[in-house]
Amino acid sequence: MVETHFQAADQPGAAAYTRGKRDQMAHRASRVWSSCCRDRRERTRTASRASEETGALTVGEAAVVRSGFEALRSGEHPTIEDLASHSGLAPSMVGEIVGAFMRTGRADVNGDGCLTGIVGLTTETTRHRFTFGGTSLFTWCAFDAVGIPAALQVDAAVHTTCGYCQGPLEVYIVAGSPPKVSPIRGWLPHIENCGNVRAEFCPDVNLFCSDEHLGAWRAAAGIEGQAMDLHALSNLGRRSWGPVDAGH
């Protein structure tokens, strides 16, 4: 993909996005995220987040997410113009959507204004990833690594580490389904007025070797939330990322 960039004089909305991007990125980690919590509270107060519940998005937002998701899965870093071209939306509208996503921790861009992450999928190296079709893809948290391949209904190998002992964990997903029986447990924190999703939610979204390790971590961390087995995580993932894979 050719990473061409829009001109501010031609696209006022996109220019506004460019001017604001630097300030947004400078304080993104400290912002309080409130707008994305509404749908999470409605669906479950402890388990889900609006940043990846794509069913809560508007039609335009869903189109941008889908375009960005497909590009990142291919290893590309799309520009605003790229996303506009693939989504069928005006660059000014795409710029506004991406800017709003950045403010709520649902998207990241690099210094050139090209997308590097959106609703869980990222090209940046993290300790959470899944591999399918010969491609290894990084994610923002362990739930992303399980939920995305579940929604895609693909065969995938999930690689992460235990949130307590830091030991390596692998989960093999077949046609979108995890093993029927597994000691591995997931944890999703409950954040009443959560801020930036990556800064406040993702760090505590992990898999654990066993109930014992999860219990030990919970006792030390003192964080409210919900424990979920792999099947519950994959089911939530299908609801969360299903719209992103429309037409897959």
Side-chain angles (χ1 to χ4, degrees):
M1 178 179 295
V2 178
E3 296 186 347
T4 56
H5 298 268
F6 53 80
Q7 298 295 320
D10 296 332
Q11 299 293 346
Y17 160 71
T18 302
R19 289 194 301 271
K21 175 173 67 63
R22 290 186 295 272
D23 292 338
Q24 292 165 358
M25 294 181 70
H27 67 269
R28 187 167 64 247
S30 63
R31 289 184 61 89
V32 175
W33 170 41
S34 60
S35 63
C36 64
C37 293
R38 179 183 58 216
D39 188 64
R40 184 182 58 256
R41 291 197 296 268
E42 293 175 353
R43 294 177 62 161
T44 168
R45 294 178 61 84
T46 60
S48 55
R49 58 181 161 165
S51 69
E52 288 166 355
E53 288 175 352
T54 52
L57 300 175
T58 66
V59 173
E61 290 170 340
V64 171
V65 170
R66 185 158 49 249
S67 298
F69 197 87
E70 292 173 352
L72 296 178
R73 282 167 54 187
S74 301
E76 301 171 340
H77 291 156
T79 64
I80 295 297
E81 285 187 338
D82 294 328
L83 293 172
S85 176
H86 286 280
S87 66
L89 301 176
S92 58
M93 178 178 292
V94 174
E96 292 173 359
I97 290 172
V98 173
F101 279 3
M102 289 175 62
R103 290 192 297 272
T104 56
R106 293 180 285 176
D108 273 336
V109 301
N110 60 22
D112 294 324
C114 300
L115 192 74
T116 61
I118 194 164
V119 293
L121 195 68
T122 179
T123 57
E124 298 178 359
T125 301
T126 71
R127 65 186 181 91
H128 313 288
R129 63 186 174 89
F130 66 94
T131 302
F132 84 100
T135 302
S136 188
L137 303 170
F138 290 100
T139 65
W140 288 338
C141 69
F143 171 48
D144 302 333
V146 173
I148 292 175
L152 299 181
Q153 301 183 53
V154 298
D155 296 345
V158 175
H159 304 275
T160 185
T161 58
C162 174
Y164 177 69
C165 72
Q166 304 305 312
L169 292 177
E170 293 185 346
V171 176
Y172 293 96
I173 295 177
V174 178
S177 297
K180 293 182 178 180
V181 178
S182 174
I184 295 176
R185 294 294 181 266
W187 176 259
L188 299 184
H190 169 216
I191 303 177
E192 182 63 29
N193 293 302
C194 64
N196 184 288
V197 63
R198 293 199 62 194
E200 299 184 27
F201 187 91
C202 288
D204 295 317
V205 180
N206 292 299
L207 296 185
F208 295 83
C209 297
S210 61
D211 285 324
E212 290 74 18
H213 279 196
L214 172 57
W217 177 84
R218 290 180 62 183
I223 298 175
E224 295 184 1
Q226 181 174 346
M228 304 181 78
D229 62 22
L230 293 176
H231 277 278
L233 287 174
S234 62
N235 287 336
L236 181 59
R238 293 186 192 99
R239 296 197 300 270
S240 300
W241 284 278
V244 173
D245 197 50
H248 172 71

